[in-house]
Amino acid sequence: MIAEEPSPGRFERFVLSIPDGTLMRALFLGVVGLAGWVVSLDLVEAQQAGADEARMTRTTPLPLRLPSPGDQIRPYLPRSIPVGPDRGEPRLPGYDGPVDGEAMGQPMRFLREDGGDSVVAIGRIDPGTASLLEAFLQAEGEGARTLVLHSPGGSVSDAIAMARTVREAGLDTRVPADGYCASACPLLLAGGVSRSAGENAWVGVHQVYAVEIPGLARDVDRSISDIQSTIADCQDLLVEMGVDPRLWIDAMRTPPQELYVLTPEELAEFALVTPPQAPAA
C-alpha cells in the first residue's frame, strides 16, 4: 500500500516558491554584512584606542576651552597641560623652566624659592615621591610656608602620604593661576592648612584605576578590591583634612581618560580651597 503524501504546508510552499540560489545569495549577503559589522566595530575600537594612546603620550599642550558649570568634562592629560587664548602660563616661584609636556612627563621635582617661603612641586607623582618630599622638607624646608603645585597627578598612595606630610609640616598649598592639578594632585592640595587656587587653575578629578604592569598577569578581582580600598583611603584623607568627601562622587563618575574639572564655586563648596585668612594683627 502506498501512503498518500500530505500536501505541503504554507511555509513549505513559500520555500519551494523561492528561485534556486536565492537562499544561498541571501545567506552569503548576511555573512558579508555580519563580517562588515564586526570589522566596523574593530575599526571603532582601534580608533578609540589610538585616540587614547595619543592622549596618554601627548607632550604638546592641548587647546581646550575653559570649563563652565555643567560643561566640566575634559580629556585627562598625564604628560601635558591644557592651553587656550584665555589661559596663560603658571608662575612658579623659583622655577623658570618649561611648564608643559617636558615638565609634566617627568617625575615630580621640588624647588625652593631663593629668599622666599615657597616650595614648588612640579611634575608627575610616582611611587616614592612621598619619600622625596619628606627628605626635601627636612633638608630645605625650614621657614617654608607654601607648597605650590603644578602636576598631572599619578600615584594615589604617594599623594595621600604627601598630603599628611604637608599637614604635619604646617604648610599651605596653592595651585597658581593657570596651573594644572589633576588626578591624584587634588589629594595633595587637600593637605594644606590653608588651600587656594588661582584664576583659571585647572583642578580636576577622575576614577582611580589600576596600572597594568607588563609581564604580570592581571587578577581582576584583586584589582577591583584594591581600587575600592584606595577609594576609601581617598575619602578618609579628605575627611581628615577637612574637605567634603562628596568631592569624590564626581571623581568616581568620571572615566580615567577624562577629567572632571571643578569650578571655583565647587572648590569652595567642597572646601578644597579655604577662605583667605585675615593677616595677623
Side-chain angles (χ1 to χ4, degrees):
M1 182 178 179
I2 301 174
E4 294 183 0
E5 294 184 0
S7 59
R10 180 180 300 177
F11 178 74
E12 188 177 352
R13 290 197 302 271
F14 169 74
V15 172
L16 292 173
S17 68
I18 299 175
D20 293 343
T22 301
L23 285 177
M24 291 302 296
R25 285 194 296 271
L27 180 61
F28 173 75
L29 291 175
V31 170
V32 171
L34 179 61
W37 178 68
V38 171
V39 169
S40 68
L41 288 180
D42 288 343
L43 288 174
V44 170
E45 185 176 343
Q47 289 174 346
Q48 291 175 340
D52 193 53
E53 177 68 16
R55 176 189 57 79
M56 291 293 292
T57 59
R58 183 187 183 103
T59 57
T60 55
L62 181 63
L64 292 171
R65 67 183 183 279
L66 281 174
S68 58
D71 176 31
Q72 295 163 249
I73 303 297
R74 296 292 183 272
Y76 170 50
L77 303 173
R79 294 176 178 272
S80 188
I81 60 172
V83 294
D86 43 10
R87 297 187 81 239
E89 286 194 348
R91 180 186 173 277
L92 305 173
Y95 175 80
D96 59 2
V99 296
D100 48 20
E102 186 175 338
M104 296 296 97
Q106 297 296 318
M108 181 171 277
R109 292 167 288 165
F110 303 101
L111 303 99
R112 181 70 185 267
E113 178 187 19
D114 290 339
D117 59 6
S118 294
V119 172
V120 166
I122 180 170
R124 190 180 65 240
I125 302 173
D126 286 343
T129 303
S131 297
L132 295 178
L133 173 62
E134 189 172 357
F136 181 88
L137 291 178
Q138 288 177 352
E140 303 185 44
E142 185 177 356
R145 296 184 58 187
T146 304
L147 184 67
V148 182
L149 305 173
H150 186 51
S151 169
S155 168
V156 173
S157 60
D158 278 74
I160 289 174
M162 293 165 75
R164 293 193 169 110
T165 295
V166 165
R167 182 60 62 91
E168 289 172 4
L171 296 177
D172 298 336
T173 50
R174 175 168 61 89
V175 181
D178 302 308
Y180 188 50
C181 183
S183 186
C185 178
L187 295 171
L188 175 52
L189 173 63
V193 176
S194 176
R195 305 176 291 273
S196 62
E199 186 176 3
N200 294 341
W202 204 275
V203 181
V205 293
H206 61 184
Q207 293 171 358
V208 174
Y209 62 98
V211 177
E212 294 189 14
I213 302 175
L216 292 181
R218 184 180 181 188
D219 184 331
V220 175
D221 290 338
R222 178 63 182 273
S223 294
I224 293 173
S225 177
D226 288 346
I227 288 172
Q228 289 176 332
S229 178
T230 301
I231 291 170
D233 291 342
C234 293
Q235 292 173 316
D236 278 345
L237 176 81
L238 295 177
V239 172
E240 179 184 339
M241 298 298 159
V243 178
D244 192 330
R246 288 183 301 145
L247 164 67
W248 219 248
I249 295 176
D250 294 316
M252 290 187 289
R253 286 175 174 165
T254 307
Q257 67 271 20
E258 296 178 336
L259 202 66
Y260 181 89
V261 184
L262 295 152
T263 64
E265 292 76 18
E266 287 174 325
L267 290 171
E269 177 186 351
F270 296 137
L272 190 56
V273 300
T274 54
Q277 296 182 354

